[in-house]
């Protein structure tokens, strides 16, 4: 039972272009969403988050969009840089009602080609 | 390095042995979480602890697995009588508070357990 789904295992993008990573969720109780970035042999690093009261949150080159009706969120990276090459995990939590543990997707491996 | 420290980085155990994984949270953090990542999978929640208390162990297998976070010292994840299926990367994370909105999890670099 996968509550958070990242359907693209990998994505290749040219340097300077936009990277769009997608995430779908099934649990309508989720109200807080995060993106983590992971390099090989390292732990995940927090990147950006969004609560369900917003539909967009921006931090520098990173923007997360949330479509609650579609139960879909996406991470946009623009412009993409070679150092962005990593695995990106989407995570969600039922924060307001229960502050439940984060549920992670399987990740999308982003390769930014110079 | 003030980050979450996990050791060992790599641990090899034979079937039937015990594995002990240690985690020291970030300075000032009293909330510790353990996650497991199987190959080609996402991170799966195992257990959430505060000092001397297990808050949520809904992700822990019922047998062979235990966790503690004593008043002094690191958090320990203990796996007894390991089997090949326990081979995975085990990540520890800590947070300042339980308020996820203001206190994202900070992860350590993980312990990669290999059971032979």
């Amino acid at each position: 039972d996968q509550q958070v789904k990242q359907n693209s295992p990998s994505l290749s993008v040219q340097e300077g272009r936009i990277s769009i990573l997608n995430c779908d969720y099934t649990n309508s109780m989720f109200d807080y969403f995060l993106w983590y970035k992971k390099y090989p042999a390292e732990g995940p690093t927090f990147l950006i988050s969004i609560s369900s009261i917003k539909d967009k949150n921006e931090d520098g080159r990173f923007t997360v969009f949330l479509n609650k009706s579609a139960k879909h969120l996406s991470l946009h990276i623009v412009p993409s840089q070679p150092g962005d090459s990593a695995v990106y995990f989407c995570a969600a939590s039922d924060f307001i009602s229960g502050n439940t543990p984060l549920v992670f997707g399987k990740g999308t491996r982003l390769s930014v080609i110079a | 390095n003030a980050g979450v420290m996990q050791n060992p980085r790599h641990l090899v155990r034979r079937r039937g042995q015990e594995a002990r994984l240690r985690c020291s949270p970030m300075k000032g953090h009293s909330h510790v979480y353990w996650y497991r990542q199987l190959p080609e999978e996402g991170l799966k929640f195992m257990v959430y602890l505060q000092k001397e208390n297990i808050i949520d162990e809904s992700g822990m297998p019922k047998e062979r697995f235990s966790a503690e976070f004593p008043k002094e010292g690191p958090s320990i994840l203990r796996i007894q009588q390991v089997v090949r299926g326990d081979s995975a990367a085990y990540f520890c994370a800590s947070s300042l508070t339980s308020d996820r909105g203001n206190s994202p999890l900070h992860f350590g670099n993980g312990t990669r357990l290999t059971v032979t």
Side-chain angles (χ1 to χ4, degrees):
Chain A
D1 176 27
Q2 233 187 308
Q3 298 186 74
V4 177
K5 299 178 185 178
Q6 294 178 256
N7 292 320
S8 297
S10 62
L11 174 69
S12 287
V13 172
Q14 270 202 308
E15 182 180 5
R17 307 292 283 267
I18 185 170
S19 295
I20 300 176
L21 296 96
N22 293 304
C23 177
D24 298 292
Y25 61 96
T26 57
N27 188 340
S28 57
M29 297 298 291
F30 286 151
D31 50 25
Y32 186 60
F33 306 89
L34 307 90
W35 285 92
Y36 279 82
K37 174 181 177 179
K38 185 181 180 303
Y39 292 118
E42 293 186 11
T45 303
F46 170 72
L47 200 55
I48 192 168
S49 65
I50 189 167
S51 74
S52 59
I53 61 173
K54 293 185 175 182
D55 54 19
K56 177 183 173 181
N57 189 25
E58 193 171 350
D59 184 2
R61 296 186 297 115
F62 302 91
T63 303
V64 56
F65 294 92
L66 175 62
N67 182 334
K68 289 186 290 294
S69 61
K71 294 194 181 69
H72 177 84
L73 63 154
S74 60
L75 175 68
H76 292 211
I77 306 172
V78 56
S80 301
Q81 299 173 353
D84 296 330
S85 297
V87 177
Y88 289 79
F89 291 99
C90 172
S93 173
D94 172 6
F95 168 57
I96 292 176
S97 68
N99 207 10
T100 56
L102 288 181
V103 179
F104 284 83
K106 289 189 178 183
T108 296
R109 184 179 301 278
L110 173 65
S111 300
V112 179
I113 305 159
Chain B
N1 185 346
V4 178
M5 302 300 294
Q6 289 188 251
N7 66 82
R9 288 299 306 275
H10 301 275
L11 182 61
V12 179
R13 284 289 178 265
R14 290 202 180 101
R15 277 179 298 170
Q17 291 185 320
E18 178 180 288
R20 282 189 180 229
L21 290 65
R22 287 176 290 277
C23 169
S24 296
M26 282 183 71
K27 189 175 181 181
H29 286 193
S30 60
H31 300 258
V32 165
Y33 309 78
W34 285 93
Y35 281 79
R36 173 166 67 173
Q37 185 182 21
L38 295 168
E40 308 303 321
E41 296 285 327
L43 290 86
K44 302 282 189 195
F45 168 77
M46 298 182 76
V47 62
Y48 162 36
L49 310 103
Q50 292 180 34
K51 283 286 186 182
E52 299 185 275
N53 289 306
I54 296 175
I55 307 302
D56 182 348
E57 57 182 347
S58 58
M60 285 277 270
K62 293 290 183 280
E63 298 177 349
R64 302 188 297 107
F65 285 72
S66 62
E68 62 175 11
F69 188 18
K71 189 177 178 182
E72 302 290 338
S75 175
I76 306 286
L77 179 67
R78 183 179 175 211
I79 311 172
Q80 295 178 288
Q81 299 175 318
V82 295
V83 301
R84 288 223 172 101
D86 296 332
S87 295
Y90 291 82
F91 290 96
C92 170
S94 71
S95 65
L96 185 62
T97 70
S98 62
D99 179 352
R100 303 276 163 72
N102 292 311
S103 184
L105 300 187
H106 296 266
F107 282 86
N109 286 332
T111 293
R112 184 164 299 278
L113 172 66
T114 302
V115 179
T116 61

